[in-house]
Amino acid sequence: MKSEIGNRKLEIMKIALTLAKRGIGKTSPNPAVGAVIVKGGRIIGKGYHKKAGLAHAEINALLKAGAKAKGADMYVTLEPCNHFGKTPPCTDAIIKAGIKRVFIGMEDPNPLIQGNGARQLRNAGITVESRILEDKCKDINEAYIKYITAKIPFVTLKLASTIDGRIATCTGESKWITGLTSRMFVHRMRANADAVMVGIGTILKDNPELTTRFVKGKDPVKIVVDSKLRIPPGARVLNSGEGGIIVATTKERSQRSEVRSQKEKRIKSLQAKGVDILLLPSQNGVVDLKALMRELGKREITSLIIEGGSTLAASAIKQGIIDKATIFTAPKILGKEGLPMIGDLAIRRLKHAIRLSRFECKRLGEDILVQGYLKK
């Protein structure tokens, strides 16, 4: 009997997780949350958080349940909030509706909540049970968890190469290494992320748009790491999509007055086009990526995809900003003269190799997708 009850809890929480996933890419900087209300073994209300500033999942589920919510159970993927933000506290609404029991997927890591929501419910006489499918609930909000605790975005390094690790031929040709199925997958990744970032080398070589034109969804903020501010005024990224654009460059001033003057003119020209220019400290002559992450956090960018070439990929790994790697491998071989997927990491011993944990593999058309988390 206990196992049947436990299985039923898992089944309903899975429904709440499915609802929560509908909000991924739309709720930032808030988490994606789903809620289900059950009474007498029947689902009487469902809801999810649709967009930051709108009603939370619990409120939407309560609205569906109406007066039937009294004495019912609520399943919610994230601990209900107990403070005033852009919307009133969900705990107050749950208590007022007469909910009898609340089953929570994971505790909210937000210091304003972090156990206080569950505590308020218990103090009101509501039975609370937590950590139901906790790992799965954390997975869908990995960006929110990092942002709310560290104030910097969750960073995914996206790479696409041949089976011998090459991203372009010896002449620089790179379109297209992977197939259409993989490219559509990448566009869905962009739609679910707050921002996508490339280096100036990719802009000069490929002139990408960095939009979500292959799928339905919002365009991300576009970020170009351009230490010497070489981005051409006609670059497609400056005029494509609606996500806005940030150009990150170094703030070190040249000793030569004519060079300083030219850079200042380019900055003003880009700003006139609506480009957000970030003047950042340098590390070994290039933009300090950790400083950039802090600035992006201030702009409430919670999730970032790096799609740059081998130079930016190596720099991001060496500076320790990568959380997850998403690698697409095509069944092609280009050989030694092809451009490598990742630049020099100065790794001399095998024991110092970058390792992935919790990795998974799957097929996408003719390509193979490998995803995993970088061990810190």
Side-chain angles (χ1 to χ4, degrees):
M1 184 66 176
K2 285 185 178 180
S3 62
E4 289 181 9
I5 294 172
N7 289 337
R8 179 59 174 163
K9 289 178 185 177
L10 297 180
E11 287 175 9
I12 299 172
M13 189 59 78
K14 285 178 182 178
I15 295 172
L17 276 164
T18 300
L19 289 165
K21 290 175 183 177
R22 295 184 188 178
I24 293 176
K26 305 177 183 72
T27 63
S28 182
N30 290 354
V33 184
V36 178
I37 299 175
V38 178
K39 189 174 186 179
R42 292 177 54 249
I43 293 175
I44 59 172
K46 296 190 293 186
Y48 69 99
H49 187 33
K50 297 179 179 180
K51 187 178 180 181
L54 298 184
H56 290 186
E58 300 94 318
I59 304 303
N60 288 327
L62 287 169
L63 288 172
K64 293 283 179 63
K68 295 179 182 178
K70 187 173 182 179
D73 296 337
M74 173 179 282
Y75 291 75
V76 59
T77 57
L78 183 73
E79 179 183 8
C81 65
N82 66 316
H83 72 288
F84 280 90
K86 293 180 180 178
T87 58
C90 290
T91 49
D92 289 354
I94 292 169
I95 293 167
K96 184 177 180 181
I99 292 291
K100 184 179 179 180
R101 297 186 298 179
V102 176
F103 299 93
I104 297 171
M106 63 169 282
E107 181 181 87
D108 194 328
N110 186 338
L112 294 174
I113 306 169
Q114 207 167 29
N116 292 324
R119 190 175 300 110
Q120 183 181 353
L121 295 176
R122 289 190 178 101
N123 290 341
I126 297 173
T127 300
V128 178
E129 185 177 329
S130 300
R131 297 184 176 181
I132 300 171
L133 295 180
E134 182 180 30
D135 288 344
K136 292 185 180 298
C137 291
K138 286 182 176 180
D139 283 345
I140 66 170
N141 277 312
E142 57 190 9
Y144 167 75
I145 292 169
K146 183 179 180 185
Y147 171 75
I148 206 67
T149 55
K151 301 302 179 186
I152 55 176
F154 182 92
V155 182
T156 299
L157 175 62
K158 173 248 141 181
L159 300 166
S161 77
T162 60
I163 57 175
D164 57 342
R166 306 294 161 173
I167 61 173
T169 67
C170 59
T171 63
E173 183 183 353
S174 61
K175 293 185 177 180
W176 296 98
I177 291 288
T178 53
L180 180 60
T181 304
S182 293
R183 298 202 296 275
M184 290 183 69
F185 189 97
V186 171
H187 281 229
R188 282 193 290 271
M189 286 176 60
R190 291 177 184 174
N192 288 338
D194 290 343
V196 59
M197 185 168 85
V198 297
I200 185 60
T202 297
I203 296 295
L204 296 176
K205 182 168 66 73
D206 296 336
N207 198 17
E209 294 181 43
L210 302 179
T211 63
T212 57
R213 60 193 180 279
F214 286 170
V215 299
K216 184 179 179 180
K218 64 172 179 58
D219 284 327
V221 175
K222 302 163 195 68
I223 303 167
V224 179
V225 179
D226 186 4
S227 301
K228 297 181 180 178
L229 207 61
R230 295 183 291 155
I231 188 167
R236 288 196 292 183
V237 74
L238 296 175
N239 304 296
S240 62
E242 301 176 349
I245 179 164
I246 296 171
V247 173
T249 189
T250 54
K251 63 182 178 183
E252 278 69 14
R253 294 168 62 88
S254 170
Q255 298 299 316
R256 296 165 56 191
S257 60
E258 64 271 22
V259 173
R260 292 201 306 271
S261 177
Q262 288 175 3
K263 188 169 185 177
E264 288 167 1
K265 285 181 180 179
R266 288 198 294 270
I267 288 174
K268 289 180 181 178
S269 176
L270 290 168
Q271 288 175 331
K273 290 187 174 185
V275 177
D276 185 2
I277 302 292
L278 290 182
L279 295 172
L280 299 167
S282 66
Q283 185 174 107
N284 299 321
V286 297
V287 169
D288 183 331
L289 296 179
K290 287 186 176 180
L292 174 56
M293 294 305 106
R294 290 192 292 270
E295 288 298 323
L296 297 183
K298 292 176 184 177
R299 286 161 171 74
E300 294 189 331
I301 290 176
T302 68
S303 56
L304 168 69
I305 301 171
I306 294 181
E307 293 190 29
S310 60
T311 301
L312 182 59
S315 182
I317 291 172
K318 285 190 287 189
Q319 293 192 44
I321 68 166
I322 304 299
D323 296 292
K324 185 177 183 179
T326 298
I327 305 168
F328 301 84
T329 304
K332 301 171 183 176
I333 298 172
L334 289 178
K336 180 181 176 181
E337 299 302 319
L339 185 66
M341 178 169 62
I342 299 174
D344 186 16
L345 296 176
I347 295 173
R348 301 294 178 255
R349 301 286 300 277
L350 189 58
K351 67 179 182 179
H352 298 145
I354 306 298
R355 295 179 180 272
L356 297 183
S357 65
R358 296 169 54 202
F359 63 88
E360 59 181 12
C361 305
K362 67 178 178 180
R363 186 167 178 172
L364 289 176
E366 291 187 345
D367 305 325
I368 298 296
L369 169 64
V370 177
Q371 295 189 97
Y373 296 82
L374 268 69
K375 289 187 176 181
K376 299 299 183 182

